[in-house]
Amino acid sequence: MEGSKAGSFKEMPLGIDATTEEEYASQSRLLQEFTGISSIDKAWIFKSDSGIGSQAMFSISQPNLLANKRKKFILSSHVLRESNNSVNFQWAPFPVEMTGVSVMVPSPSGAKLLVVRDPEKESPCQFEIWGRAQVEKEFHIPQSVHGSVYADGWFQGISWNSDETLIAYVAEEPCPSKPTFTGQGYKNSTSADKDLGYWTGQGDWKEEWGETYAGKQQAALFVMNINSGETQAVKGIEKSLSVGQVVWAPPVRGSHQYLVFVGWSEGTRKLGIKYCFNRPCALYAVRAPNFESKADGPELKDSSTEDSPVVNLTQSITSALYPQFSPDGKFLLFLSARSAVDSGVHSATDSLHIIDWPMDGVLSSSTKIVDVIPVVMCGEDGYFPGLYCSSFLSNPWLSDGCTMILSSVWGSCQVILSVNVLSGEVLRISPTDSNFSWNVLTLDGDNIIAVSSSPVDVPHIKYGYLVDKDSKDTAWSWLNVSRPTNACSEKVESLLSSLQFSILKIPIRDVSYSLTKGATKPFEAIFVSSKTKRSDPCDPLIVFLHGGPHIVSLSSFSKSLAFLSSIGFNLLIVNYRGSLGFGEEALQSLPGNIGSQDVNDVLVAIDHVIDMGLASPSKIAVLGGSHGGFLTTHLIGQAPDKFAAAATRNPACNLALMVGTTDIPDWCYVEAYGSEGKNTFTEAPSAEHLTLFHRKSPISHSSKVKTPTLFLLGAQDIRLPFFTGLQYAQALKAKGVPVKVIVFPNDTHAIERPQSDFESFLNIGVWFKKYLS
């Protein structure tokens, strides 16, 4: 009898009581509908076999919660441009899942497609060469040649040569051999004893590039012959150089072929490189392996590059990224993050440059670098605020050969720009009357396929064309492209249709005469609210704060934030001074003033919406991760009566602890000390340094905190090891503040694994409902 009673008892999950269980159930069902919305990641255009129109191929991804992975799909469409200024996309009936695919790269002509599949454990890396109807070649490259191909968007680089017989790419070097021991001691490499029992030692520790690169081997350059599958490491590159972003140089008749790549030197230490554009880098040229023609294709001539020097093409500038040759091969264009490198901040305003490419194939390290777009210090209102670009298309050029199309940040929006690299003319060609964010996906001749979204509008594909190509008028028209299916469920669509957003200009309070002009200009905040009036004067407000601090919250669609809007919260998404998109002076005003200027900007933004009658002072929560978590935990300490609840993901709570444990200790110096921090940085902080770090940190205000706070921590975080957040949480718990902590054992800084991201925002929603309802 006792046993039967026990069997009917339902045990609650840890941290969930009966009161909140129904809230968990209802919110989780809705969050799953938001999570299921697919993302349009990339697109390519190919010539149509019929000669009419073109073929588009879209790479689409979608979280798979049960598998805890992201599914990748390919969806194709026939694109027909109609005579009445309309466009017709004839979609394939179903997408095709690309299981295990890490990267896909079409050849320049579009006749071939390289597909690389992730190796499992010690398995070979799988390369497939696809034709229009079938897989034509398949090669398995063993781990003894190289490890995984880099597909991270940073070191990643895959490039076909002009005749589409060779592919250059970046992959992990083979794992170094480790010492082996038997029952008789160390096993010599020449030992013939193969049958004895043995064990493998650890060998020397090898530095890595920090966050997300744990366990990854050095990025090295390889070339594959697609006829034979023969693969060779490119020789002549120093071992201290990590390589990425490789492209083939234009071929020169009678001369060797060259590869151009970005190289990062490790110096005395490899500091964290993820999200960090302040790591010095340069463009290098190296002679490609020589191939002798045979009946069945080129044959690798192994010794061709041994005596060929590697040429540094950009010695006079501290940063050079994303090399891109002009269509005629006469100049090499690249992006520079020299403002970040020279000042020490992790990201800043970019500049664009070109160098002439020698048509005779004779390279020089003293080539003159020409500015195309310089760093904009302080843009005038309504005008170009500077370049903030994280990559280029593989083919960004219009048919004139000198105009490139790219995406860049402009205030709180992402916009599409055309740049004439000869004259330096920059034009905003996405609609200027739109607060939506726009991102270019690919070019269809001189037309553009892009994606547009907002905080309350899921991504939609757009097709842009010049209204009059033959005139000097540069106006572009944008057409809506029909989707093959609904972008989201009817429920989500209904909820989003009830929301609205605007971008607010927030004036600076207490302007100091010591500030630069750019730092005195208003900053921006995105305000998301319900269109319908409810019984209460104002819905509860969530103040969302981005990390970095030198990144930006865009007016684009975020599934997680849209979910929070849909369960009854208004959002105030603050782009405080120091954010990208507002000129270099505004950005550089923050280093040295973290914990004060950024905190004050957030408080001013909150007061601004309260004064406008858009928020109730008693129903405000704050949410942020990384530096956004730094601000969240600062705010609940410096303004302890302002917030009814808080939530933070991997926050920077104690710089004095962070500086000795993070992969970016230089960040602590630059952001705490300002311009002098780059030169003050040391691996052995003094007592004076640690005192300043503590004073700048949220933990110095922890004794004043009253706000119930949710902590979401990634146990594999190298950037902000989870015990920095845990220390702060324990300090609040010790003084009786309501605290909830969730640690994700396999997540890094971003906490982006599908299940972890889902559980994070489900708990954020329930936590805020509990304390703001």
Side-chain angles (χ1 to χ4, degrees):
M1 297 293 290
E2 293 278 344
S4 63
K5 288 182 181 178
S8 64
F9 174 74
K10 181 183 177 184
E11 183 180 0
M12 294 290 180
L14 185 65
I16 302 177
D17 55 32
T19 308
T20 59
E21 188 178 38
E22 183 53 40
E23 190 71 42
Y24 260 79
S26 63
Q27 285 200 28
S28 66
R29 287 191 292 270
L30 179 60
L31 181 55
Q32 279 193 305
E33 295 201 43
F34 275 95
T35 302
I37 298 172
S38 59
S39 302
I40 305 168
D41 302 322
K42 291 182 179 180
W44 301 270
I45 282 287
F46 305 91
K47 293 177 182 178
S48 174
D49 292 336
S50 66
I52 301 172
S54 51
Q55 291 289 137
M57 188 170 76
F58 293 85
S59 175
I60 297 171
S61 61
Q62 184 180 34
N64 182 342
L65 286 172
L66 290 177
N68 204 18
K69 295 179 180 179
R70 291 190 69 83
K71 286 188 174 183
K72 294 181 181 179
F73 305 92
I74 288 295
L75 184 60
S76 299
S77 177
H78 189 202
V79 181
L80 290 171
R81 180 78 190 278
E82 310 288 354
S83 58
N84 58 347
N85 287 335
S86 64
V87 66
N88 183 13
F89 276 57
Q90 298 174 349
W91 296 97
F94 300 102
V96 178
E97 184 175 0
M98 305 298 286
T99 306
V101 172
S102 60
V103 65
M104 297 178 295
V105 181
S107 65
S109 69
K112 299 182 178 75
L113 177 69
L114 170 67
V115 174
V116 181
R117 297 189 189 272
D118 294 319
E120 295 183 5
K121 296 182 180 179
E122 301 301 317
S123 300
C125 197
Q126 185 173 330
F127 287 71
E128 299 168 1
I129 308 298
W130 291 19
R132 289 298 180 96
Q134 62 187 7
V135 176
E136 296 181 348
K137 302 270 188 174
E138 183 173 323
F139 306 114
H140 292 223
I141 309 303
Q143 295 279 328
S144 59
V145 177
H146 64 66
S148 296
V149 172
Y150 271 92
D152 60 341
W154 190 263
F155 293 114
Q156 176 180 339
I158 298 180
S159 181
W160 292 76
N161 72 341
S162 59
D163 64 7
E164 303 184 357
T165 58
L166 305 175
I167 297 174
Y169 60 96
V170 179
E172 294 181 56
E173 289 182 339
C175 290
S177 58
K178 295 181 178 182
T180 303
F181 301 90
T182 69
Q184 299 176 354
Y186 174 70
K187 182 182 178 183
N188 192 294
S189 59
T190 60
S191 172
D193 297 333
K194 296 182 180 179
D195 298 326
L196 296 175
Y198 68 91
W199 56 277
T200 304
Q202 295 303 311
D204 291 356
W205 173 73
K206 195 171 183 180
E207 268 194 324
E208 299 156 339
W209 284 107
E211 174 68 19
T212 74
Y213 292 102
K216 300 281 282 184
Q217 298 299 320
Q218 178 97 333
L221 189 54
F222 297 85
V223 173
M224 172 184 280
N225 170 0
I226 71 164
N227 292 313
S228 66
E230 191 170 3
T231 299
Q232 176 79 7
V234 176
K235 296 178 180 175
I237 301 172
E238 292 182 14
K239 288 291 186 183
S240 62
L241 214 58
S242 291
V243 308
Q245 303 173 17
V246 63
V247 294
W248 287 90
V252 176
R253 184 179 295 275
S255 177
H256 293 283
Q257 278 197 286
Y258 281 88
L259 296 166
V260 174
F261 64 91
V262 179
W264 292 266
S265 179
E266 62 185 72
T268 57
R269 175 184 173 180
K270 285 182 178 177
L271 292 165
I273 204 167
K274 181 77 170 181
Y275 315 119
C276 295
F277 289 86
N278 56 332
R279 307 301 175 220
C281 55
L283 295 188
Y284 295 86
V286 63
R287 189 182 294 175
N290 188 29
F291 287 81
E292 292 182 349
S293 296
K294 294 261 181 159
D296 58 349
E299 178 184 290
L300 188 62
K301 189 175 180 181
D302 193 33
S303 61
S304 60
T305 61
E306 284 186 359
D307 301 322
S308 176
V310 175
V311 180
N312 185 334
L313 301 170
T314 55
Q315 283 187 345
S316 62
I317 196 167
T318 53
S319 170
L321 297 155
Y322 307 116
Q324 181 78 233
F325 281 95
S326 60
D328 60 10
K330 291 183 178 179
F331 58 82
L332 173 62
L333 176 136
F334 64 93
L335 192 74
S336 177
R338 62 179 176 180
S339 290
V341 174
D342 297 347
S343 67
V345 300
H346 69 91
S347 186
T349 312
D350 297 319
S351 52
L352 192 66
H353 309 270
I354 56 174
I355 58 176
D356 289 332
W357 189 255
M359 302 309 290
D360 58 3
V362 179
L363 302 180
S364 169
S365 59
S366 58
T367 305
K368 181 182 178 183
I369 297 174
V370 178
D371 294 349
V372 176
I373 301 177
V375 172
V376 174
M377 299 305 294
C378 177
E380 296 301 320
D381 293 346
Y383 289 87
F384 179 57
L387 188 62
Y388 304 90
C389 179
S390 58
S391 65
F392 297 145
L393 296 176
S394 57
N395 179 19
W397 303 100
L398 297 184
S399 60
D400 64 4
C402 62
T403 300
M404 67 182 305
I405 304 297
L406 54 84
S407 303
S408 182
V409 177
W410 188 305
S412 298
C413 301
Q414 187 174 40
V415 302
I416 300 176
L417 304 176
S418 72
V419 179
N420 185 309
V421 298
L422 299 182
S423 68
E425 182 184 39
V426 179
L427 297 174
R428 177 176 174 174
I429 60 175
S430 52
T432 56
D433 59 351
S434 168
N435 281 333
F436 283 45
S437 278
W438 293 67
N439 183 36
V440 59
L441 293 174
T442 189
L443 302 185
D444 183 15
D446 281 344
N447 303 322
I448 300 173
I449 296 178
V451 65
S452 170
S453 71
S454 84
V456 300
D457 296 272
V458 298
H460 281 88
I461 299 171
K462 304 285 185 175
Y463 192 89
Y465 64 94
L466 264 172
V467 175
D468 188 352
K469 289 184 180 180
D470 298 325
S471 74
K472 293 184 178 180
D473 184 8
T474 55
W476 284 72
S477 181
W478 294 92
L479 304 173
N480 293 319
V481 174
S482 61
R483 291 184 65 103
T485 59
N486 290 333
C488 54
S489 69
E490 289 183 9
K491 184 174 183 180
V492 168
E493 190 172 356
S494 175
L495 287 167
L496 292 177
S497 68
S498 69
L499 301 173
Q500 60 188 351
F501 84 101
S502 60
I503 297 178
L504 307 176
K505 297 280 188 182
I506 315 291
I508 305 300
R509 184 188 294 169
D510 302 325
V511 175
S512 166
Y513 289 108
S514 63
L515 290 175
T516 57
K517 180 182 176 183
T520 64
K521 288 179 172 288
F523 59 96
E524 291 182 353
I526 303 166
F527 186 72
V528 183
S529 62
S530 172
K531 292 177 181 176
T532 57
K533 286 288 183 181
R534 301 185 180 160
S535 55
D536 292 334
C538 299
D539 287 332
L541 178 71
I542 297 174
V543 180
F544 178 79
L545 306 170
H546 66 69
H550 308 298
I551 60 174
V552 62
S553 288
L554 293 171
S555 62
S556 55
F557 186 72
S558 160
K559 292 185 277 190
S560 303
L561 295 184
F563 160 72
L564 294 176
S565 300
S566 297
I567 58 174
F569 295 106
N570 290 345
L571 300 180
L572 183 66
I573 305 166
V574 184
N575 284 319
Y576 45 86
R577 284 174 293 168
S579 303
L580 301 180
F582 299 90
E584 188 66 6
E585 287 183 350
L587 186 144
Q588 293 290 352
S589 69
L590 183 55
N593 296 306
I594 58 167
S596 53
Q597 177 179 297
D598 44 5
V599 169
N600 289 332
D601 281 356
V602 176
L603 292 173
V604 168
I606 294 170
D607 290 343
H608 185 81
V609 293
I610 291 173
D611 292 343
M612 293 176 68
L614 300 175
S616 169
S618 63
K619 296 191 294 183
I620 300 175
V622 60
L623 166 63
S626 193
H627 188 82
F630 172 89
L631 287 176
T632 295
T633 48
H634 250 307
L635 285 159
I636 60 177
Q638 293 193 41
D641 298 314
K642 195 91 171 177
F643 302 97
T648 180
R649 291 162 48 120
N650 287 330
C653 299
N654 185 351
L655 303 191
L657 177 59
M658 174 185 170
V659 72
T661 57
T662 180
D663 64 332
I664 53 167
D666 58 322
W667 181 97
C668 300
Y669 281 87
V670 170
E671 297 300 339
Y673 278 92
S675 57
E676 62 184 275
K678 183 183 175 185
N679 296 324
T680 307
F681 168 56
T682 171
E683 296 283 1
S686 67
E688 179 187 350
H689 296 162
L690 295 175
T691 299
L692 177 68
F693 292 151
H694 184 271
R695 190 168 71 245
K696 293 275 187 179
S697 297
I699 203 162
S700 66
H701 300 279
S702 61
S703 62
K704 297 175 284 185
V705 176
K706 306 173 185 177
T707 308
T709 306
L710 169 65
F711 292 84
L712 304 156
L713 308 173
Q716 302 302 315
D717 188 355
I718 301 173
R719 181 93 358 130
L720 284 165
F722 82 100
F723 47 76
T724 60
L726 198 58
Q727 179 195 43
Y728 187 92
Q730 289 168 333
L732 299 193
K733 190 176 180 181
K735 63 188 297 291
V737 176
V739 165
K740 181 181 175 77
V741 178
I742 302 177
V743 176
F744 299 97
N746 299 311
D747 276 87
T748 57
H749 189 58
I751 311 184
E752 60 188 0
R753 288 155 60 90
Q755 291 175 2
S756 306
D757 184 64
F758 181 89
E759 190 175 355
S760 292
F761 278 91
L762 175 59
N763 277 277
I764 290 167
V766 172
W767 187 258
F768 286 166
K769 279 286 187 181
K770 179 178 179 180
Y771 289 102
L772 273 75
S773 295

